[in-house]
Amino acid sequence: MAISDHSAFWENPISIDLDSGERLVLRSPQDALYALVSDWPVKGGVHQQRAVDFCRAWLAGRMPAETVRQAFILAALEAGVAINDDDEDGPGSSVVNPSV
């Protein structure tokens, strides 16, 4: 039985503020993977790579979504990305809806 449900959402979304001023609201490991590979300001960080690996493991059914969430938070801290652990969609917010 696989751990992941590809339609699953995190219990608490994460909002990140990009250098462009845009806020992304991440609701799942798939959203996190999209942000990590396309919008991430720092390439090659140890925690970034680990979070990418965890996202891919979740997609393959080998990693719980909440473990991926914690790995993503560490990657954000490593990269200096401003994170908000709430679900408030403020001005300039974009809900990520990738097809990764």
Side-chain angles (χ1 to χ4, degrees):
M1 178 176 191
I3 292 174
S4 70
D5 170 359
H6 296 316
S7 64
F9 293 101
W10 288 326
E11 188 173 319
N12 296 311
I14 299 171
S15 300
I16 62 171
D17 294 328
L18 301 176
D19 291 340
S20 66
E22 183 180 16
R23 175 173 286 182
L24 296 179
V25 179
L26 310 174
R27 301 184 187 283
S28 72
Q30 188 169 356
D31 292 352
L33 181 58
Y34 179 80
L36 286 162
V37 298
S38 52
D39 294 318
W40 215 242
V42 178
K43 302 294 182 200
V46 173
H47 290 290
Q48 178 200 15
Q49 185 56 55
R50 185 173 183 180
V52 167
D53 292 344
F54 279 25
C55 289
R56 291 181 175 148
W58 174 82
L59 284 168
R62 298 187 317 262
M63 183 73 59
E66 288 303 316
T67 302
V68 177
R69 187 177 188 281
Q70 293 304 315
F72 180 83
I73 290 170
L74 289 175
L77 292 172
E78 173 185 63
V81 173
I83 56 174
N84 301 296
D85 238 353
D86 59 48
D87 57 2
E88 296 295 318
D89 298 343
S93 296
S94 295
V95 175
V96 175
N97 191 5
S99 52
V100 174

